Amino acid sequence: MATAGAAVIALGIAGTAQAESVVIGGPGEPGGDCAPFGCTLRYQQVYNASLFSSPIQIDTISFFNKNDSPGSISNANYTINLSTTNKAVNGLSNIFASNIGANNQSFFVGSLSGAISDGKFSITGNSFLYDPSQGNLLLDVSKDGGSYDFSAFLDYNPSSNGSFSRLFSFDNSSSGNIHDNYGLVTEFSSASKSVPEPASLMGILGLGAFGVTSLRKRKQVSAVKA
């Protein structure tokens, strides 16, 4: 009975937690920015680690369009990578490759297009576990194909408090233009995940304790009969 009770505990403590999200920047300034889903072919933005209170599993990245008419994402193939970088906000190299961290991971590869609806544009991709204690977060976006246009208008924000900075290029060059104290308002979100539920755990622990108690009572009865 004691063994059975312990097995129930091991199998029964999982529950569902609310998704977590962190918004960097905002509210956006009037006007919009065409990068990186319109007028640029390469884009990097670094986010200050101090704005994340704990590690986060990034499943979705969102950008906003609150201040302009609904824009549309330039129809093209995009590659979006995430990594932890040792480069500081306002300290990016103008060489794209020099900013990428050792844990560089592909977050999304595929075609994107269409209007930005309800003021928000979200991309769900491969989960990336970001630990702010290891460095700043780097977003890296490459565009393949499509036109050089100004269709996408995303909320941007001058960052006077060191939240983020960026690097961009209008062509396929290995280097770009540094833009300090500036970046897109961005939301990083995690999906719901399984965690222990305190109420269920207490009930299961009680069941395990009941099994142990029952076993002890049986032993005591056996000893009296002997």
Side-chain angles (χ1 to χ4, degrees), residues 10-85:
L11 294 174
I13 63 175
T16 300
Q18 294 296 320
E20 177 185 5
S21 67
V22 177
V23 177
I24 309 298
E29 292 288 313
D33 199 315
C34 61
F37 301 103
C39 59
T40 61
L41 292 185
R42 187 71 184 273
Y43 183 93
Q44 289 182 342
Q45 185 164 323
V46 60
Y47 303 83
N48 197 318
S50 66
L51 300 175
F52 297 83
S53 60
S54 61
I56 179 174
Q57 179 175 294
I58 299 172
D59 296 303
T60 301
I61 303 173
S62 300
F63 303 95
F64 301 88
N65 176 262
K66 301 291 187 183
N67 298 310
D68 289 275
S69 59
S72 61
I73 303 304
S74 179
N75 186 4
N77 293 317
Y78 294 87
T79 298
I80 302 175
N81 289 357
L82 294 172
S83 67
T84 306
T85 181

Side-chain angles (χ1 to χ4, degrees), residues 197-216:
E197 286 186 347
S200 299
L201 180 57
M202 290 302 294
I204 296 165
L205 286 174
L207 178 60
F210 173 77
V212 173
T213 302
S214 298
L215 180 60
R216 287 177 178 172

Side-chain angles (χ1 to χ4, degrees), residues 81-141:
N81 289 357
L82 294 172
S83 67
T84 306
T85 181
N86 59 9
K87 299 296 184 181
V89 172
N90 297 333
L92 289 174
S93 166
N94 70 329
I95 306 298
F96 287 103
S98 298
N99 300 317
I100 298 173
N103 65 341
N104 186 49
Q105 177 183 310
S106 173
F107 178 79
F108 175 88
V109 178
S111 176
L112 295 173
S113 64
I116 302 170
S117 61
D118 300 321
K120 191 173 184 179
F121 169 53
S122 299
I123 304 167
T124 298
N126 301 314
S127 295
F128 177 79
L129 180 60
Y130 171 60
D131 183 352
S133 69
Q134 301 302 305
N136 292 327
L137 177 63
L138 183 74
L139 169 73
D140 189 341
V141 182

